[in-house]
Amino acid sequence: MSAIKPRHQRLVLAGFALAALVAAGLLAAWALRSQASFFYLPADMAAHPSAPDREVRLGGMVERGSLHQLADGVTVRFIVTDGRARIPVRFSGIRPALFVEGSGVVAEGRRAGDGTFMADNLLAKHDEHYVPREMKDMTADQARKTVAATK
Amino acid sequence: MTEVLDPWPFVWAAYALGAGGTLALVGWCWQAMLRAERRRDRLREK
Amino acid sequence: MHRFANPARFLRLARPLTPWLLVPGLVIAGAALAWGLFVAPADRLQGDSVRIVYIHVPAAWLGMAGWMAIAAASLAEIVWRHPLASVAARAAAVPGAFYTALCLLSGSLWGRPAWGSWWVWDGRLTSMLVLLFLYLGYLALADAAAREGGGASRVAAIFGLVGAVNIPIIHYSVLWWNSLHQPPSIGLGHSAMAPQFLVPLLAATLGFTLIFAALVLMRMRLLLADAQSEARLRRKAFGGSVPA
């Protein structure tokens, strides 16, 4: 039974080391929260506007009814919102297939002097909801409820 | 202009990597294991 | 606890268990993938590209589970000095690295149609890439330690424990940081995924997990057989006298 004691000691030591490591990792991750974010929300951008020529990413929802095609046929303007702030965005180019109103988007570009965000590139961001195509005539909220009811 | 992209080539590529890679890994590990166990058994007999 | 310390006892269990895990795993995973390809519906927004989920999510789970296995075995090695623990940790590294790479590749193939980009330096993707590099480092270290012999495998075990810090970071990256990657769809007791997607996804995950377990057993048997062969050769070289 003499083997129990050093083994017990090693378990406690390893446990402490592991707890300290996890704490250090979580602290580092927490400290990084603004640097490690892939994009700014409209509210962040409204509160701390980026310098006009700095490359940044803006992410949020494409506001319903805000997507308009301009006369040149390649430029669109729309509003990105997070429920707290709204930022107008302008983009010329090919839009990803999943870029639609009411869905998530990440726009890469820079803020113009007048507060409009000039995007060079759009990335579609989709949420964690998976709904069969057969339910596509429902609104997202209805589909979500159906999923919740059938699971 | 919205991009028109056929998703199927991407789906097939992912399935080929997933299924083909798994089968290749299983085959390789099985072969290596049998070879090592045969070598051990041969050494034991001598 | 030391019931399986004797490799003969472990091998008696592992030899029949290998096919019993492998064959059902291959059947279940194959059926789930066929279901995912041909029967499961397309997503309302994503269309057919959603089918990549049946490869991507099991691969992500196994990439992370593989390192959790390495960390658990490393802890067992450091605390209990169990002789099979270092073998188990090394055995999980090759399949773990493979599934991490598969997760990154299938995710890239999914990102192009779904997001419009093959790769972005987002928190989730970057922390998963870090996991792949951790696996490659661990494989190199554990190999070198095995050649060295003696207490060198302790270094690999410490690396296995330290690397486990990355696992919660991967998991929470989509919740802590604004991320292009979507948050998890399935949690304890809730699912944002319709059952038409969820059932084949869970089946695929089960099948790949069984295959993974069989792969770990195969790697363990390989490592044990190599160790036994080398011990025998060494004994012969020393003319019957067993060196310490």
PDB file of all heavy atoms in Angstrom, chain C residues 73-86:
ATOM      1  N   ALA C  73      -5.347   9.450 -21.458  1.00  0.00           N
ATOM      2  CA  ALA C  73      -4.315   8.420 -21.341  1.00  0.00           C
ATOM      3  C   ALA C  73      -3.026   9.016 -20.782  1.00  0.00           C
ATOM      4  O   ALA C  73      -2.313   8.360 -20.011  1.00  0.00           O
ATOM      5  CB  ALA C  73      -4.068   7.784 -22.713  1.00  0.00           C
ATOM      6  N   SER C  74      -2.725  10.272 -21.168  1.00  0.00           N
ATOM      7  CA  SER C  74      -1.511  10.906 -20.650  1.00  0.00           C
ATOM      8  C   SER C  74      -1.612  11.115 -19.147  1.00  0.00           C
ATOM      9  O   SER C  74      -0.644  10.912 -18.408  1.00  0.00           O
ATOM     10  CB  SER C  74      -1.291  12.257 -21.343  1.00  0.00           C
ATOM     11  OG  SER C  74      -1.136  12.078 -22.728  1.00  0.00           O
ATOM     12  N   LEU C  75      -2.818  11.510 -18.696  1.00  0.00           N
ATOM     13  CA  LEU C  75      -3.037  11.687 -17.254  1.00  0.00           C
ATOM     14  C   LEU C  75      -2.836  10.350 -16.533  1.00  0.00           C
ATOM     15  O   LEU C  75      -2.165  10.274 -15.499  1.00  0.00           O
ATOM     16  CB  LEU C  75      -4.455  12.217 -17.016  1.00  0.00           C
ATOM     17  CG  LEU C  75      -4.775  12.600 -15.579  1.00  0.00           C
ATOM     18  CD1 LEU C  75      -4.002  13.851 -15.187  1.00  0.00           C
ATOM     19  CD2 LEU C  75      -6.261  12.822 -15.392  1.00  0.00           C
ATOM     20  N   ALA C  76      -3.401   9.275 -17.129  1.00  0.00           N
ATOM     21  CA  ALA C  76      -3.248   7.948 -16.525  1.00  0.00           C
ATOM     22  C   ALA C  76      -1.780   7.552 -16.476  1.00  0.00           C
ATOM     23  O   ALA C  76      -1.331   6.911 -15.518  1.00  0.00           O
ATOM     24  CB  ALA C  76      -4.051   6.916 -17.320  1.00  0.00           C
ATOM     25  N   GLU C  77      -1.031   7.948 -17.517  1.00  0.00           N
ATOM     26  CA  GLU C  77       0.388   7.575 -17.528  1.00  0.00           C
ATOM     27  C   GLU C  77       1.147   8.323 -16.439  1.00  0.00           C
ATOM     28  O   GLU C  77       1.968   7.746 -15.719  1.00  0.00           O
ATOM     29  CB  GLU C  77       0.993   7.895 -18.897  1.00  0.00           C
ATOM     30  CG  GLU C  77       2.384   7.292 -19.010  1.00  0.00           C
ATOM     31  CD  GLU C  77       3.178   7.840 -20.178  1.00  0.00           C
ATOM     32  OE1 GLU C  77       2.584   8.490 -21.054  1.00  0.00           O
ATOM     33  OE2 GLU C  77       4.400   7.613 -20.188  1.00  0.00           O
ATOM     34  N   ILE C  78       0.851   9.635 -16.308  1.00  0.00           N
ATOM     35  CA  ILE C  78       1.601  10.441 -15.336  1.00  0.00           C
ATOM     36  C   ILE C  78       1.234  10.028 -13.912  1.00  0.00           C
ATOM     37  O   ILE C  78       2.103   9.874 -13.057  1.00  0.00           O
ATOM     38  CB  ILE C  78       1.311  11.938 -15.563  1.00  0.00           C
ATOM     39  CG1 ILE C  78       1.953  12.381 -16.884  1.00  0.00           C
ATOM     40  CG2 ILE C  78       1.840  12.776 -14.411  1.00  0.00           C
ATOM     41  CD1 ILE C  78       1.562  13.766 -17.316  1.00  0.00           C
ATOM     42  N   VAL C  79      -0.069   9.808 -13.656  1.00  0.00           N
ATOM     43  CA  VAL C  79      -0.502   9.563 -12.282  1.00  0.00           C
ATOM     44  C   VAL C  79      -0.317   8.107 -11.893  1.00  0.00           C
ATOM     45  O   VAL C  79       0.270   7.790 -10.864  1.00  0.00           O
ATOM     46  CB  VAL C  79      -1.970   9.992 -12.104  1.00  0.00           C
ATOM     47  CG1 VAL C  79      -2.455   9.625 -10.714  1.00  0.00           C
ATOM     48  CG2 VAL C  79      -2.096  11.488 -12.328  1.00  0.00           C
ATOM     49  N   TRP C  80      -0.808   7.173 -12.724  1.00  0.00           N
ATOM     50  CA  TRP C  80      -0.794   5.769 -12.317  1.00  0.00           C
ATOM     51  C   TRP C  80       0.359   4.982 -12.932  1.00  0.00           C
ATOM     52  O   TRP C  80       0.518   3.818 -12.619  1.00  0.00           O
ATOM     53  CB  TRP C  80      -2.129   5.116 -12.667  1.00  0.00           C
ATOM     54  CG  TRP C  80      -3.256   5.623 -11.826  1.00  0.00           C
ATOM     55  CD1 TRP C  80      -3.490   5.282 -10.521  1.00  0.00           C
ATOM     56  CD2 TRP C  80      -4.261   6.566 -12.194  1.00  0.00           C
ATOM     57  NE1 TRP C  80      -4.586   5.964 -10.055  1.00  0.00           N
ATOM     58  CE2 TRP C  80      -5.093   6.758 -11.052  1.00  0.00           C
ATOM     59  CE3 TRP C  80      -4.566   7.267 -13.343  1.00  0.00           C
ATOM     60  CZ2 TRP C  80      -6.178   7.621 -11.058  1.00  0.00           C
ATOM     61  CZ3 TRP C  80      -5.635   8.129 -13.351  1.00  0.00           C
ATOM     62  CH2 TRP C  80      -6.420   8.304 -12.222  1.00  0.00           C
ATOM     63  N   ARG C  81       1.124   5.639 -13.858  1.00  0.00           N
ATOM     64  CA  ARG C  81       2.239   4.941 -14.517  1.00  0.00           C
ATOM     65  C   ARG C  81       1.762   3.633 -15.127  1.00  0.00           C
ATOM     66  O   ARG C  81       2.433   2.609 -15.048  1.00  0.00           O
ATOM     67  CB  ARG C  81       3.368   4.641 -13.510  1.00  0.00           C
ATOM     68  CG  ARG C  81       3.841   5.844 -12.737  1.00  0.00           C
ATOM     69  CD  ARG C  81       5.108   6.414 -13.341  1.00  0.00           C
ATOM     70  NE  ARG C  81       5.298   7.809 -12.954  1.00  0.00           N
ATOM     71  CZ  ARG C  81       6.078   8.204 -11.936  1.00  0.00           C
ATOM     72  NH1 ARG C  81       6.739   7.326 -11.234  1.00  0.00           N
ATOM     73  NH2 ARG C  81       6.206   9.477 -11.666  1.00  0.00           N
ATOM     74  N   HIS C  82       0.583   3.657 -15.711  1.00  0.00           N
ATOM     75  CA  HIS C  82       0.039   2.445 -16.284  1.00  0.00           C
ATOM     76  C   HIS C  82       0.757   2.141 -17.594  1.00  0.00           C
ATOM     77  O   HIS C  82       0.875   3.006 -18.453  1.00  0.00           O
ATOM     78  CB  HIS C  82      -1.462   2.639 -16.541  1.00  0.00           C
ATOM     79  CG  HIS C  82      -2.182   1.361 -16.789  1.00  0.00           C
ATOM     80  ND1 HIS C  82      -2.015   0.663 -17.945  1.00  0.00           N
ATOM     81  CD2 HIS C  82      -3.043   0.656 -16.030  1.00  0.00           C
ATOM     82  CE1 HIS C  82      -2.760  -0.416 -17.884  1.00  0.00           C
ATOM     83  NE2 HIS C  82      -3.393  -0.446 -16.721  1.00  0.00           N
ATOM     84  N   PRO C  83       1.280   0.909 -17.749  1.00  0.00           N
ATOM     85  CA  PRO C  83       2.105   0.636 -18.941  1.00  0.00           C
ATOM     86  C   PRO C  83       1.337   0.739 -20.259  1.00  0.00           C
ATOM     87  O   PRO C  83       1.931   1.025 -21.298  1.00  0.00           O
ATOM     88  CB  PRO C  83       2.613  -0.792 -18.707  1.00  0.00           C
ATOM     89  CG  PRO C  83       1.753  -1.359 -17.642  1.00  0.00           C
ATOM     90  CD  PRO C  83       1.251  -0.227 -16.819  1.00  0.00           C
ATOM     91  N   LEU C  84       0.022   0.507 -20.242  1.00  0.00           N
ATOM     92  CA  LEU C  84      -0.725   0.581 -21.505  1.00  0.00           C
ATOM     93  C   LEU C  84      -1.120   2.013 -21.858  1.00  0.00           C
ATOM     94  O   LEU C  84      -1.511   2.293 -22.986  1.00  0.00           O
ATOM     95  CB  LEU C  84      -1.995  -0.272 -21.420  1.00  0.00           C
ATOM     96  CG  LEU C  84      -1.852  -1.741 -21.796  1.00  0.00           C
ATOM     97  CD1 LEU C  84      -3.188  -2.441 -21.621  1.00  0.00           C
ATOM     98  CD2 LEU C  84      -1.363  -1.905 -23.220  1.00  0.00           C
ATOM     99  N   ALA C  85      -1.005   2.936 -20.883  1.00  0.00           N
ATOM    100  CA  ALA C  85      -1.526   4.286 -21.108  1.00  0.00           C
ATOM    101  C   ALA C  85      -0.764   5.008 -22.213  1.00  0.00           C
ATOM    102  O   ALA C  85      -1.368   5.639 -23.083  1.00  0.00           O
ATOM    103  CB  ALA C  85      -1.472   5.084 -19.805  1.00  0.00           C
ATOM    104  N   SER C  86       0.571   4.892 -22.207  1.00  0.00           N
ATOM    105  CA  SER C  86       1.328   5.614 -23.230  1.00  0.00           C
ATOM    106  C   SER C  86       1.084   4.989 -24.600  1.00  0.00           C
ATOM    107  O   SER C  86       1.071   5.687 -25.620  1.00  0.00           O
ATOM    108  CB  SER C  86       2.812   5.621 -22.891  1.00  0.00           C
ATOM    109  OG  SER C  86       3.369   4.346 -23.083  1.00  0.00           O
TER     110      SER C  86
END
